[in-house]
């Protein structure tokens, strides 16, 4: 049994940006900034990963609002 869903290309690109591009940029910016200011790379990486976890947690909190914006067509 196969089921297909259709999403507009603009919605798909927005989902990719929210899921992958923004977190990657956030992680890199924080990691590079903290590696210049802190003496320990371990702390820089840990804080950057913590911020990334916080980002995905906030996405999870707003999942209902985000779901309303995406219309799946079967």
């Amino acid at each position: 049994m196969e089921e297909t869903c259709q999403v507009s290309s603009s919605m798909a690109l927005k989902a990719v940006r929210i899921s992958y591009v923004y977190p990657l940029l956030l992680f890199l910016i924080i990691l590079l900034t903290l590696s210049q200011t802190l003496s320990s790379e371990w702390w820089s990486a840990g804080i950057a990963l913590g911020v990334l976890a916080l980002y995905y947690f906030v996405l999870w909190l707003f999942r209902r609002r985000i779901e309303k914006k995406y219309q799946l067509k079967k």
Side-chain angles (χ1 to χ4, degrees), residues 7-16 66 68-71:
V7 179
S8 69
S9 61
S10 64
M11 294 299 259
L13 289 175
K14 186 176 180 181
V16 168
I66 294 170
K68 289 179 184 177
K69 292 181 181 180
Y70 290 92
Q71 302 294 325

Side-chain angles (χ1 to χ4, degrees), residues 11-57:
M11 294 299 259
L13 289 175
K14 186 176 180 181
V16 168
R17 282 194 309 265
I18 289 172
S19 301
Y20 300 108
V21 176
Y22 296 155
L24 177 65
L25 291 175
L26 182 67
F27 178 77
L28 289 176
I29 290 169
I30 291 173
L31 182 64
L32 294 174
T33 303
L34 290 178
S35 66
Q36 296 296 319
T37 58
L38 296 177
S39 60
S40 173
E41 291 179 0
W42 286 99
W43 277 104
S44 300
I47 293 171
L49 286 173
V51 169
L52 199 59
L54 181 63
Y55 174 83
Y56 282 113
F57 179 69

